[in-house]
C-alpha cells in the first residue's frame, strides 16, 4: 500500500485480556519498528525487525510483550495479560533500507490507541 | 544515556508570527537529527532531517532547522506560522549507541497552538 497501515485504530481491553496489534508496512520495506507513546510523551522504542529477523527487542517493557514478523512483511505486537500501564498509542514505522540505514527517517503509521480498563 | 530535550511543553503564537521550537541532544558524536510533526490522531510526519554538511536544513511546509554543535541544539523555525501548523512537534535523534539501523530517541514534544 501507499503508507503504513495499523489495525485496529482503537482497542479497549479489560485488564488481564490479551491483545494483538497489526502493522502492514509499505511493500518492500526492510526495516520495521514498534514504538510506544504514552499520553503526553514522545514515542519510545520497543523493538526492531530487519525483514523477519528481530534484531533488537531491548525496549519491550516486560515478557508480556511479544512481537513477530514471520514473513518479513506484516508484523504483530502481542500483549498478554494487559495492565493499565499498557494504555498508550502503539506506533509502527517502516523503512526501505536495512541495517545501513542509520541516517534515514521512516514512515509511521497512524497508530493503535490501546486503553486498558 | 542518549537523550533529547525539548524545553518547551506548550507554545502559543499568533498566526503570521515567527516560530522557534527548541531541541537539545545529548550524544556527542555526529548525531542524525530529525523533526517530526503529529496532528491529533495521526502518525508522525517527517518535516526535515540533518545528517551532515550544511547546518541549515530546509524541510517541508516552510520549516527549517539549524544544527549547532557548540550548543548541542537543533532548533526548528518557521518565519510565518499558519493556523494549520497547530500540532505537536517532536525532535528525535538517531544514534542509539552506534547501532546502524536507526533506533530513534524522541523528545517529549512541544504542543503548538496558533491563535487567529
Amino acid at each position: 500500500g501507499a503508507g503504513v497501515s495499523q489495525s485496529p485504530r482503537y482497542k479497549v481491553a479489560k485488564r488481564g485480556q490479551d491483545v494483538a496489534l497489526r502493522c502492514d508496512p509499505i511493500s518492500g520495506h526492510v526495516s520495521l519498528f514498534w514504538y510506544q507513546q504514552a499520553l503526553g510523551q514522545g514515542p519510545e522504542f520497543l523493538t526492531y525487525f530487519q525483514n523477519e529477523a528481530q534484531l533488537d527487542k531491548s525496549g519491550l517493557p516486560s515478557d508480556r510483550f511479544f512481537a513477530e514478523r514471520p514473513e518479513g512483511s506484516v508484523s504483530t505486537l502481542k500483549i498478554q495479560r494487559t495492565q493499565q500501564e499498557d494504555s498508550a498509542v502503539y506506533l509502527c514505522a517502516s523503512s526501505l533500507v536495512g541495517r545501513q540505514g542509520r541516517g534515514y527517517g521512516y514512515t509511521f503509521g497512524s497508530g493503535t490507541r490501546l486503553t486498558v480498563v | 544515556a542518549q537523550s533529547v530535550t525539548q524545553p518547551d511543553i506548550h507554545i502559543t503564537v499568533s498566526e503570521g508570527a515567527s516560530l522557534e521550537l527548541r531541541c537539545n541532544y545529548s550524544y556527542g558524536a555526529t548525531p542524525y537529527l530529525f523533526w517530526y510533526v503529529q496532528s491529533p490522531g495521526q502518525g508522525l510526519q517527517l518535516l526535515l532531517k540533518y545528517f551532515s554538511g550544511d547546518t541549515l536544513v530546509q524541510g517541508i511546509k516552510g520549516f527549517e532547522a539549524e544544527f549547532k554543535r557548540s550548543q548541542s541544539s537543533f532548533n526548528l523555525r518557521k518565519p510565518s506560522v499558519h493556523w494549520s501548523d497547530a500540532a505537536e512537534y517532536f525532535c528525535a535523534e538517531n544514534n542509539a549507541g552506534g547501532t546502524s539501523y536507526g533506533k530513534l530517541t524522541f523528545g517529549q514534544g512541544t504542543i503548538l497552538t496558533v491563535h487567529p
Side-chain angles (χ1 to χ4, degrees):
Chain A
V4 177
S5 178
Q6 292 188 246
S7 61
R9 286 297 308 274
Y10 304 93
K11 176 68 177 178
V12 178
K14 292 183 178 179
R15 191 172 56 180
Q17 184 179 355
D18 296 349
V19 298
L21 312 180
R22 177 187 171 101
C23 172
D24 280 272
I26 294 173
S27 179
H29 275 199
V30 171
S31 294
L32 186 145
F33 294 80
W34 284 98
Y35 287 83
Q36 180 190 57
Q37 185 176 19
L39 187 65
Q41 302 295 317
E44 292 191 353
F45 171 80
L46 292 177
T47 188
Y48 165 68
F49 290 87
Q50 183 182 26
N51 295 308
E52 70 279 3
Q54 189 176 21
L55 299 186
D56 187 342
K57 53 182 180 180
S58 62
L60 296 177
S62 78
D63 58 7
R64 296 186 295 104
F65 287 70
F66 172 77
E68 60 183 6
R69 193 186 185 196
E71 298 179 356
S73 55
V74 172
S75 178
T76 303
L77 177 66
K78 298 179 180 178
I79 309 174
Q80 297 176 324
R81 304 181 304 281
T82 52
Q83 305 292 318
Q84 283 191 320
E85 61 263 28
D86 300 335
S87 296
V89 175
Y90 291 85
L91 295 167
C92 177
S94 71
S95 172
L96 181 62
V97 296
R99 197 167 174 81
Q100 71 280 10
R102 180 167 164 266
Y104 292 82
Y106 312 106
T107 302
F108 280 85
S110 296
T112 294
R113 180 177 296 279
L114 173 65
T115 303
V116 181
V117 298
Chain B
Q2 179 185 5
S3 68
V4 177
T5 303
Q6 293 180 245
D8 305 304
I9 296 174
H10 194 173
I11 284 183
T12 300
V13 299
S14 297
E15 191 169 16
S18 63
L19 172 70
E20 183 169 27
L21 303 182
R22 296 183 291 164
C23 173
N24 294 96
Y25 65 92
S26 66
Y27 195 75
T30 303
Y32 287 9
L33 298 164
F34 304 82
W35 275 100
Y36 285 87
V37 61
Q38 186 177 38
S39 298
Q42 301 298 312
L44 295 161
Q45 181 183 22
L46 180 66
L47 287 176
L48 49 78
K49 55 191 176 186
Y50 171 77
F51 301 157
S52 62
D54 192 346
T55 56
L56 186 62
V57 180
Q58 301 298 320
I60 63 171
K61 303 184 178 185
F63 285 93
E64 65 178 27
E66 185 171 12
F67 171 66
K68 293 184 177 180
R69 184 184 297 278
S70 62
Q71 299 177 18
S72 297
S73 71
F74 188 58
N75 294 349
L76 182 71
R77 302 193 296 244
K78 186 169 186 178
S80 178
V81 171
H82 188 263
W83 65 266
S84 60
D85 294 324
E88 189 161 16
Y89 292 79
F90 292 94
C91 182
E93 181 178 22
N94 177 337
N95 190 286
T99 60
S100 62
Y101 58 79
K103 178 169 64 177
L104 291 171
T105 298
F106 286 88
Q108 288 195 313
T110 298
I111 298 171
L112 175 65
T113 298
V114 181
H115 281 170

